[in-house]
Amino acid sequence: MSKLTKFSSKDIISDLPRSIHDLILTKLPIRDAVRTSVLSSKWRYQWKTMTELVYDDKSLCLRDDKNVAEKEFVDFIMRFLMLHDGPILKFKLSASYLKESTEIYQWLLVISMKDIKELVLNVPGHKWKWDYPGLSIPRIIFTFQKLNRLMLSAFTVKPPVEFQGYPCLKYLELHGVTITLKVIENLISGCPLLEMFKFCNMDKLALTIRAPNLKHLIVEGNFEDLYLKDTPLVVAMSICFYPLAWRGDILRKVPVTYDYLKSIEIGNMDYEDLDKVVYVLHLLLQSPNLQELQISSPDLSLDVRDMYGHGEAPDPPHYKTADFDIWERQCPADFTFKHLRTAKLSHIISKNEMEFVRFLLGRSPLLEVISISLDTEYGETLEPVNEVLRFRRASPGVEISFFQGSPRYLI
């Protein structure tokens, strides 16, 4: 019994290596991390050297008065930063109730001397929506020359004239920002090591991307053009069309071959929109080593207004209609997807979409699995399933799976 008592009284956690202590602290809400100072003398000042700081709604004290809660939150962050000792590698601020950028500037001023490597700022405010300008981003962030990851959401981004870019940045994400075309293109080209770019925006932009080391591209929005001028190393590309018009003559103007591109994802694809069809077709033709393909049509059960964060839906798009057989007519007779292994097609309903299924099955000799989601308008009928099963298959061993809502069955 005495041995058990002696063993149970030993402070095993406090004797763990410092790196383990740091890991434990990063898993806690930052207020709880500070409270660990009461555990023992060894924990008293551990929080002061945390290298990853995350301030979000979980850090907010529960108060009936939101103004009081916000003030306490702001004061807490400032006191924490002033007492912090050592480098700060990651600083994440995600608080929906901050309405001014003055406090943010003060916090960034402190971490500007901390060798910051990763910065995440997401402060939309309670009135934020797609057409509502966000807070102005503090200009001091453009002095963070050691950043390798930057994520900005719902800010107005306007760098100073002297800003030349981020020489170490590898990951850039811009979500719902207010930004000009010139600024975003200069920002991308000013990051020579950029490997991943994620951009979600509702402004009509004819965006040109020059990023010779880019490997992952994710774009979502209402672009008039997406001009990939210098992106030879792209491995994975995800494009989500919003239900407004794209101009769509991008890849016809610049015939680039993406030798490294292995994965393509297209969202909100309208198979009757000639511009989108031509864009996707040329992208596929110029990706000779493609292995994975995923395309989803708009989900007819969703209200398009949900994408915009307010009650004003856009006008219906006006476009040139694509013929259902355009895939075969515009594709070279000897073209095949030489390396395509898997494909997933969602919300298939129209004849145009079914013809794309036919095209894909007939041109993919190594295809292993193709998953097809049939839209609910088909009801319980097996007619579209039987139609697909009659399509010619270039790959004799391909597995075709159909699913409609919850039911799913394999062929």
Side-chain angles (χ1 to χ4, degrees):
M1 185 68 178
S2 60
K3 290 183 179 180
L4 180 60
T5 303
K6 182 178 180 181
F7 177 78
S8 61
S9 63
K10 186 177 181 181
D11 189 354
I12 299 176
I13 296 180
S14 294
D15 290 336
L16 291 171
R18 180 58 183 272
S19 60
I20 302 298
H21 290 178
D22 293 340
L23 180 60
I24 292 174
L25 292 175
T26 61
K27 302 299 182 181
L28 297 173
I30 199 159
R31 283 187 180 274
D32 292 339
V34 173
R35 293 187 180 108
T36 61
S37 61
V38 302
L39 294 178
S40 70
S41 58
K42 291 185 178 180
W43 283 91
R44 185 163 299 163
Y45 302 111
Q46 295 273 22
W47 62 271
K48 294 180 65 174
T49 57
M50 292 175 61
T51 58
E52 297 186 8
L53 308 183
V54 177
Y55 301 97
D56 53 24
D57 290 345
K58 296 179 182 178
S59 307
L60 182 66
C61 289
L62 296 178
R63 294 285 188 272
D64 292 334
D65 191 328
K66 291 184 178 180
N67 292 328
V68 173
E70 180 184 342
K71 185 178 186 305
E72 290 185 356
F73 177 68
V74 169
D75 292 342
F76 170 75
I77 296 179
M78 197 64 208
R79 288 198 307 272
F80 188 103
L81 292 177
M82 295 305 294
L83 293 172
H84 188 273
D85 183 21
I88 298 176
L89 302 182
K90 175 181 178 180
F91 182 86
K92 179 179 179 180
L93 177 66
S94 180
S96 59
Y97 41 82
L98 288 178
K99 307 175 186 63
E100 302 293 338
S101 56
T102 306
E103 296 89 356
I104 302 174
Y105 171 79
Q106 294 175 344
W107 303 334
L108 295 179
L109 184 61
V110 175
I111 69 172
S112 66
M113 300 175 284
K114 298 284 189 173
D115 294 329
I116 184 73
K117 298 291 193 302
E118 180 176 349
L119 180 62
V120 178
L121 298 178
N122 177 22
V123 190
H126 72 288
K127 291 184 179 180
W128 178 84
K129 54 187 179 182
W130 281 110
D131 58 355
Y132 185 86
L135 297 176
S136 295
I137 195 73
R139 295 178 63 173
I140 193 171
I141 76 162
F142 300 109
T143 66
F144 295 177
Q145 293 295 289
K146 295 184 179 181
L147 278 181
N148 54 49
R149 292 176 66 91
L150 175 62
M151 184 275 193
L152 300 176
S153 178
F155 278 94
T156 295
V157 181
K158 188 176 182 180
V161 177
E162 63 272 16
F163 177 67
Q164 297 297 316
Y166 293 109
C168 303
L169 199 70
K170 293 186 177 182
Y171 180 100
L172 175 62
E173 179 176 350
L174 303 174
H175 185 94
V177 297
T178 301
I179 190 170
T180 67
L181 180 62
K182 182 178 180 181
V183 167
I184 189 172
E185 291 182 351
N186 289 343
L187 181 58
I188 295 172
S189 60
C191 303
L193 301 183
L194 191 65
E195 295 181 0
M196 171 172 265
F197 177 52
K198 185 175 182 180
F199 185 49
C200 180
N201 199 279
M202 284 307 302
D203 294 331
K204 290 185 178 180
L205 299 175
L207 180 62
T208 298
I209 296 179
R210 297 179 179 87
N213 287 303
L214 191 70
K215 297 179 181 178
H216 300 271
L217 174 65
I218 303 172
V219 292
E220 181 177 348
N222 176 38
F223 304 99
E224 291 185 344
D225 270 341
L226 181 61
Y227 181 11
L228 308 180
K229 185 174 183 179
D230 186 13
T231 56
L233 302 183
V234 171
V235 174
M237 184 184 300
S238 176
I239 300 172
C240 184
F241 298 108
Y242 275 8
L244 298 176
W246 278 47
R247 191 161 66 239
D249 56 350
I250 307 102
L251 293 179
R252 285 179 289 178
K253 293 188 300 186
V254 182
V256 179
T257 299
Y258 298 98
D259 290 319
Y260 294 88
L261 188 56
K262 296 181 179 181
S263 175
I264 293 177
E265 180 179 356
I266 306 293
N268 282 330
M269 174 63 182
D270 186 344
Y271 290 83
E272 296 184 4
D273 183 337
L274 181 61
D275 287 340
K276 291 186 177 69
V277 168
V278 170
Y279 176 84
V280 172
L281 177 58
H282 280 251
L283 180 60
L284 295 176
L285 294 178
Q286 294 168 184
S287 305
N289 295 306
L290 184 66
Q291 297 179 10
E292 300 176 1
L293 176 64
Q294 181 172 331
I295 303 181
S296 62
S297 303
D299 187 345
L300 300 180
S301 66
L302 297 178
D303 190 333
V304 73
R305 292 174 297 182
D306 294 339
M307 299 182 181
Y308 293 81
H310 55 80
E312 297 177 6
D315 294 331
H318 300 281
Y319 50 69
K320 297 178 181 178
T321 303
D323 295 330
F324 70 90
D325 61 345
I326 187 174
W327 303 97
E328 288 293 347
R329 286 193 296 102
Q330 295 292 328
C331 185
D334 59 348
F335 173 82
T336 60
F337 295 98
K338 293 182 175 61
H339 300 281
L340 187 64
R341 303 282 180 172
T342 63
K344 183 176 182 180
L345 308 176
S346 302
H347 303 298
I348 299 299
I349 181 172
S350 70
K351 182 174 180 61
N352 291 54
E353 292 159 0
M354 292 292 284
E355 286 303 310
F356 179 74
V357 176
R358 184 201 302 271
F359 168 72
L360 201 61
L361 282 171
R363 301 273 189 153
S364 306
L366 297 183
L367 190 63
E368 298 173 356
V369 179
I370 181 169
S371 302
I372 303 172
S373 167
L374 302 177
D375 199 279
T376 54
E377 280 196 22
Y378 276 121
E380 300 298 326
T381 179
L382 291 178
E383 180 181 347
V385 173
N386 294 329
E387 183 178 353
V388 171
L389 295 178
R390 291 192 293 268
F391 290 161
R392 185 183 70 83
R393 311 177 197 179
S395 173
V398 61
E399 177 187 287
I400 305 176
S401 66
F402 298 91
F403 59 99
Q404 178 183 349
S406 299
R408 185 175 186 273
Y409 40 95
L410 299 179
I411 303 300

